[in-house]
Amino acid sequence: MLQNKPILIVAFILPIVILLGITLNAEYNLRTGKEVTFPIKGYDPRDLLSGHYLAYTIDYGFEPCKSKLDHYDAYLCIDSKQTFTHLPNNCQTIIKGTCRFGSFIAGVERFYATENTALNLQSMIRQHPMRVVLSVAKDGTAQVKYLLVGDQRLDFGA
Amino acid sequence: MKVSDTKIQEWLKAGIIGQEQAKQISSYEANHNKNWVVIGFVILASVVIGLGCISLVAFNWEKIPDLVKLGIDFLGLAALAIAAVYYWQPQAIKFDLLSLIFIILCAASIGLIAQIYNLSSPPYQPLLLWSAMTSLVVAYSYRTFTWWLWLGMFLSGIYLFLADKYSASADGAGIVLAMFYFMVALILSFRNNIKNIALYIATRIWIISLLLVYLLLIELIGNTRIDSNINIILLSNIGFVLALLALLLRSELNVIQKIITAIIMTLLLMHFFLVIGNLDFIFMHALFTCMTLICCAILAATDGHRRLFNFFIVLLGIRAVIFYCEALGGMATSGVSLIILGVLILYCTFLWRRHGATLLQNIERWTNAAK
């Protein structure tokens, strides 16, 4: 197969550079994105190979996906409470995602919690309303910053 | 095939080889034998280390700050990369072990970053990302396991991507069928270009696995009324045509092998169309599966792959037992039918023990005569 040492060095550097790029991109989005808060509903505490996490549905204040049959890319304009199939020009806060058979998925419907927090979450959810704070970039990429349980802030690692 | 000292002594006593030849064979075996026990444990160690890394991610390091976790992770990757490059030589076991741990740690790193930044995506995205990232590293490996792992993750990513885009109840089977055809087309077209035997073996393993997964999925659909996405039907047909073209144009297979391969591919497609067309008939699944397995066994025999031949015959036997139970329905669990079944299994096993090797040789002879 391949026998070239310079290419071998590139082969090992490439994954490290890609992972570094993903990390830096995520960190950048988190620090520079606009903070937007939404109430959440439909909790599903569970744990998985990648740790304990909470799955939920975000209440955007309107129904983002009209069709329950299709699967398409969608952009939510939070200001005008409208859904577009392309990046809208005159909207301050956009969230990019996919309408999947009636549900809008933006990759922010999951929050990783520590084992202790995950155990306490079930009782906390019943007593207090929950909200999610997102960091939203200009291109619509959203990331979870933290959860709010009542007035209590929950970061990853809490 | 490893030649033991006992075998060499037997041949010497029988006058098949001389003293000089016996010494040469012994010397050759001593220098060229792979120690499969060592290799097996090395692979086990790599997998255990890799799983340990993934477990650490899954455990959620509560007390360590995120920056430190990422730092340790990247340092680990860098250290493994440096060590692998340092120990690199073609087919060197140290290099293969280090590169295997490296690619597993890459998977763990994706999980760690997703966890720290609460990133989530459809499962196919991290699988395909990992496959793309590690493809060059894997290209330097001569271990079948590394290639098997990489191909498995890549094919899983492709499957999940297609399932995400086009989902309907029959399409799991349709997607696997399309992937099977494309893999067959690839291996037939590029067989002469694949210099790495580990890649070739891993690809063959996955082609057989895809075939078996497809048979299982299509049988599980049973008699349920289903719809299929037109894109999946199209993909399966395109895959079939490409595989057939590759088969016809590939000169290394003889006429008999080409015919049998074409029959297998046609049977799979016919089976799929009957299911999605809701045109099933009684014992259809048993008939198609058994015919496919028989053809696969014959194909394996034409190339002298005894173990593969036996494997397909065993699967055929299992399916035949299931067919027997399906045919008798509730009566299958009665005392008499169980006794008959047991006797049939014993008789077939006895026949196989007595005539299996001869059957294999006859198929090979018949194939060679047709060349």
Side-chain angles (χ1 to χ4, degrees):
Chain A
M1 207 64 185
L2 297 181
Q3 303 274 329
N4 194 311
K5 194 148 187 180
I7 299 180
L8 175 72
I9 294 169
V10 169
F12 277 98
I13 290 174
L14 188 65
I16 298 174
V17 165
I18 290 174
L19 289 168
L20 206 55
I22 294 170
T23 307
L24 292 172
N25 184 56
E27 188 65 38
Y28 176 77
N29 284 339
L30 214 56
R31 286 173 191 267
T32 61
K34 184 176 175 183
E35 251 189 41
V36 188
T37 307
F38 295 103
I40 53 180
K41 55 184 180 177
Y43 316 110
D44 182 15
R46 65 173 83 170
D47 57 345
L48 203 59
L49 179 65
S50 47
H52 297 270
Y53 72 87
L54 180 70
Y56 46 78
T57 316
I58 296 178
D59 182 3
Y60 292 103
F62 66 105
E63 198 55 52
C65 304
K66 304 253 181 311
S67 170
K68 298 229 182 297
L69 297 173
D70 291 336
H71 178 189
Y72 54 92
D73 292 336
Y75 296 83
L76 300 194
C77 178
I78 301 302
D79 309 323
S80 61
K81 292 193 186 335
Q82 283 181 291
T83 309
F84 298 88
T85 53
H86 55 273
L87 192 68
N89 287 329
N90 47 359
C91 184
Q92 295 296 315
T93 314
I94 304 163
I95 296 181
K96 183 169 67 176
T98 315
C99 274
R100 207 180 285 255
F101 309 110
S103 303
F104 181 72
I105 311 290
V108 290
E109 291 78 20
R110 180 186 286 207
F111 180 80
Y112 292 99
T114 61
E115 188 176 351
N116 291 335
T117 309
L119 288 168
N120 293 331
L121 263 176
Q122 268 186 301
S123 54
M124 287 160 78
I125 284 162
R126 278 188 221 110
Q127 291 162 21
H128 305 285
M130 281 184 81
R131 288 168 293 161
V132 64
V133 178
L134 305 179
S135 173
V136 182
K138 284 189 181 139
D139 67 347
T141 309
Q143 248 176 262
V144 176
K145 275 189 100 160
Y146 52 88
L147 286 191
L148 284 168
V149 184
D151 292 324
Q152 190 186 343
R153 175 173 164 153
L154 271 181
D155 292 281
F156 169 72
Chain B
M1 186 190 76
K2 182 181 183 299
V3 179
S4 65
D5 288 334
T6 318
K7 248 325 179 227
I8 295 171
Q9 293 304 316
E10 273 179 30
W11 293 340
L12 199 57
K13 276 183 193 160
I16 296 169
I17 56 173
Q19 197 67 36
E20 191 54 39
Q21 283 171 315
K23 271 188 200 159
Q24 284 174 347
I25 293 170
S26 291
S27 167
Y28 181 85
E29 287 295 326
N31 290 331
H32 289 87
N33 249 334
K34 290 181 187 174
N35 190 333
W36 289 110
V37 174
V38 169
I39 291 172
F41 275 108
V42 163
I43 289 171
L44 178 65
S46 313
V47 171
V48 166
I49 290 169
L51 285 174
C53 297
I54 292 170
S55 297
L56 280 173
V57 171
F59 189 68
N60 258 301
W61 305 340
E62 293 183 25
K63 291 164 190 161
I64 305 173
D66 294 342
L67 207 58
V68 175
K69 285 178 207 168
L70 285 171
I72 292 171
D73 182 48
F74 280 106
L75 274 173
L77 284 170
L80 282 168
I82 292 167
V85 170
Y86 178 76
Y87 284 112
W88 177 69
Q89 272 179 32
Q91 307 201 43
I93 200 163
K94 276 183 196 162
F95 169 78
D96 285 330
L97 167 65
L98 288 165
S99 60
L100 180 60
I101 298 173
F102 177 84
I103 65 173
I104 293 174
L105 186 57
C106 283
S109 304
I110 292 173
L112 178 65
I113 295 167
Q115 193 181 59
I116 287 173
Y117 291 101
N118 279 300
L119 304 173
S120 71
S121 63
Y124 69 82
Q125 283 185 9
L127 283 169
L128 293 178
L129 171 67
W130 178 87
S131 304
M133 255 171 35
T134 56
S135 54
L136 265 184
V137 172
V138 173
Y140 278 87
S141 176
Y142 283 84
R143 299 295 155 198
T144 306
F145 180 77
T146 307
W147 275 107
W148 174 85
L149 177 70
W150 185 87
L151 272 173
M153 300 279 263
F154 175 67
L155 290 172
S156 303
I158 297 288
Y159 175 85
L160 290 170
F161 169 73
L162 291 172
D164 188 64
K165 294 291 175 213
Y166 317 113
S167 53
S169 53
D171 289 339
I175 293 169
V176 173
L177 184 63
M179 286 168 64
F180 169 78
Y181 284 139
F182 280 106
M183 290 289 284
V184 167
L186 277 171
I187 202 172
L188 287 177
S189 306
F190 297 105
R191 171 66 187 99
N192 293 332
N193 299 3
I194 301 174
K195 305 288 177 222
N196 189 325
I197 193 77
L199 168 57
Y200 179 68
I201 293 170
T203 308
R204 264 190 22 197
I205 291 171
W206 277 112
I207 286 174
I208 294 167
S209 304
L210 284 170
L211 170 74
L212 296 176
V213 167
Y214 167 76
L215 288 175
L216 185 66
L217 286 176
I218 203 84
E219 291 240 23
L220 284 174
I221 290 171
N223 298 321
T224 319
R225 289 287 173 258
I226 40 85
D227 294 315
S228 184
N229 190 293
I230 188 72
N231 295 295
I232 299 299
I233 297 171
L234 202 59
L235 261 177
S236 306
N237 282 305
I238 293 170
F240 175 75
V241 168
L242 285 174
L244 207 57
L245 274 173
L247 181 68
L248 291 170
L249 298 171
R250 192 191 170 204
S251 58
E252 283 179 34
L253 294 181
N254 61 45
V255 173
I256 303 280
Q257 289 173 328
K258 284 183 183 178
I259 291 172
I260 296 171
T261 309
I263 291 172
I264 292 170
M265 295 197 308
T266 310
L267 280 171
L268 295 174
L269 195 64
M270 275 175 64
H271 196 173
F272 180 62
F273 276 127
L274 285 172
V275 168
I276 62 168
N278 298 313
L279 298 168
D280 52 315
F281 52 89
I282 193 164
F283 304 133
M284 174 183 82
H285 291 298
L287 180 68
F288 273 94
T289 302
C290 288
M291 279 165 57
T292 306
L293 290 173
I294 288 169
C295 291
C296 289
I298 295 172
L299 185 63
T302 59
D303 236 356
H305 292 301
R306 191 191 176 130
R307 266 185 250 167
L308 205 52
F309 175 66
N310 290 342
F311 174 69
F312 282 118
I313 294 296
V314 166
L315 288 180
L316 179 65
I318 293 169
R319 189 58 183 92
V321 167
I322 296 170
F323 171 64
Y324 175 89
C325 297
E326 281 173 352
L328 289 183
M331 283 171 52
T333 52
S334 69
V336 173
S337 57
L338 283 174
I339 290 168
I340 294 170
L341 178 61
V343 168
L344 276 172
I345 292 171
L346 273 174
Y347 181 63
C348 290
T349 309
F350 170 73
L351 273 182
W352 180 247
R353 179 92 173 84
R354 204 157 169 192
H355 301 292
T358 316
L359 176 64
L360 183 67
Q361 282 163 12
N362 286 341
I363 293 172
E364 251 185 293
R365 208 173 296 134
W366 165 63
T367 315
N368 288 332
K371 276 185 187 167

